[in-house]
Amino acid sequence: MDPSLLVAVVIITALVFDFTNGFHDTANAMATSIATGALRPRVAVALSAVLNLAGALISVEVAKTISSGLVDETRIGPAIVFGGLIGAIVWNLFTWFVGLPSSSSHALFGGLIGATWAAVGGDAVHFGKIVQKVLLPAVLSPVIAGAAAMLVTWLVYKFVRGRSGGTGFRTGQIISASLVSFAHGTNDAQKTMGVITLALISAGSLAPGSGPPGWVVLAAALALALGTYLGGWRITFTLGKGLTDIEGPQGFAAQTSSAAVILISSKLGFPLSTTHVCSGGIVGSGVGRNEAPVRWKTAGRMVLAWLFTLPAAAIVGAVAGKIASWGTAGTLAVGGAGIAFGISIYALSRRKPVNVNDFVVPDPAPEREQLAA
């Protein structure tokens, strides 16, 4: 395949991944606001899309980590990057279909690592940086967000109950949800920017160590925003209804804690999983309110999906990357298999769709009564 054509295929595939990342991760920012009725579903995803777009345009630190930190960009070609992207997209679509809020970020890392390892060798993978930049944040970030949300929720219910002003948490939720969406853009869109930059470096179009060009930043931001606007209702339902019963103060606590963790990580260049962070915040808010039952069985399924994400995507990425590295026929075969899988998942999802009307917006009166009790 002509090198320039292959790079174009990789760029398009990366933007497809970015799109799936958007609808896969819509729930991270807006699930709690939708569950408590602070925002109507369509308004929530539209607001989230705009703020994802804005957040994606302000920083490139995470993109540099992806393009120059995880694998040796001088030893791989665009075909290997393509194989890694297919691995990430396959896992994203599968977990979206079953409604599990797994990490799009770790799917991308796993696909890229597996493809590089299978096609070039393990010495082309920077395992030290993966531990430092990926694995440690994956363990610590949901714990930190959960602990912060638990503390804030406990304080809110301890000191606000019986006092005026409790209903202001609905407004607070809108602000905090907006902040999470903005933070999500600063972190997740950059992962696609980093992969496209990596493909351009591997093809010789950019010098090693280069940051993403302006057109890459804009394209990735737009793809993420579009995917966010279309909304991933299956995962939104899991986070908004499946982990715990959420009230306005809880949603505010979970979102504020999550946004703080994501923004700090983006500033430091850590490509963490916003899914891990936001899920940890929601569970923490449930623990902080004694009357809120945390559905630990659902949380356990979610954590299990987290554990499998990186290795599962790595296996698919390894197979795809190895086949794609064989040449034009291999690349076409991998692309065809990826398209067939995507069509199959979409067809299956239409048999049992999750409708936006499944989100029953509660009346705000009970919340006012409880806080005033």
Side-chain angles (χ1 to χ4, degrees), residues 85-105:
L85 283 167
I86 293 296
I89 292 170
V90 164
W91 184 254
N92 255 8
L93 291 176
F94 171 73
T95 51
W96 164 77
F97 175 69
V98 297
L100 282 177
S102 69
S103 170
S104 297
S105 305

Side-chain angles (χ1 to χ4, degrees), residues 25-45:
D25 287 3
T26 301
N28 294 344
M30 292 300 173
T32 57
S33 295
I34 294 172
T36 62
L39 286 168
R40 302 294 299 180
R42 290 298 180 190
V43 174
V45 295

Side-chain angles (χ1 to χ4, degrees), residues 106 134-148 257-258 261-262 265 272-278 280-281 306:
H106 288 187
V134 177
L135 298 183
L136 285 178
V139 173
L140 295 177
S141 59
V143 175
I144 294 171
S257 303
S258 300
V261 172
I262 296 167
S265 298
L272 53 70
S273 166
T274 54
T275 300
H276 291 186
V277 174
C278 294
W306 293 357

Side-chain angles (χ1 to χ4, degrees), residues 158-252:
K158 181 175 178 63
F159 293 106
V160 174
R161 187 185 299 275
R163 304 183 184 187
S164 61
T167 56
F169 281 105
R170 285 181 176 269
T171 302
Q173 266 200 282
I174 296 173
I175 296 172
S176 59
S178 300
L179 189 58
V180 173
S181 293
F182 183 81
H184 182 265
T186 67
N187 204 283
D188 274 48
Q190 290 191 54
K191 293 155 190 171
T192 298
M193 298 176 201
V195 169
I196 294 176
T197 303
L198 177 62
L200 293 171
I201 292 172
S202 67
S205 301
L206 290 175
S210 297
W215 67 267
V216 172
V217 173
L218 182 59
L222 289 171
L224 183 72
L226 180 59
T228 301
Y229 177 70
L230 292 181
W233 303 121
R234 292 170 181 271
I235 296 173
T236 303
F237 188 84
T238 299
L239 286 183
K241 301 287 188 180
L243 289 176
T244 186
D245 297 332
I246 299 175
E247 294 181 346
Q250 288 173 266
F252 173 78

Side-chain angles (χ1 to χ4, degrees), residues 308-354:
F308 275 102
T309 291
L310 199 148
I315 291 171
V316 179
V319 174
K322 186 67 174 179
I323 295 174
S325 69
W326 293 343
T328 300
T331 302
L332 292 174
V334 169
I339 292 171
F341 182 82
I343 293 173
S344 299
I345 287 291
Y346 178 78
L348 288 172
S349 72
R350 293 301 86 198
R351 294 183 179 180
K352 191 177 181 181
V354 175

Side-chain angles (χ1 to χ4, degrees), residues 36-60:
T36 62
L39 286 168
R40 302 294 299 180
R42 290 298 180 190
V43 174
V45 295
L47 177 62
S48 184
V50 171
L51 290 167
N52 264 298
L53 176 63
L57 299 176
I58 69 166
S59 174
V60 293

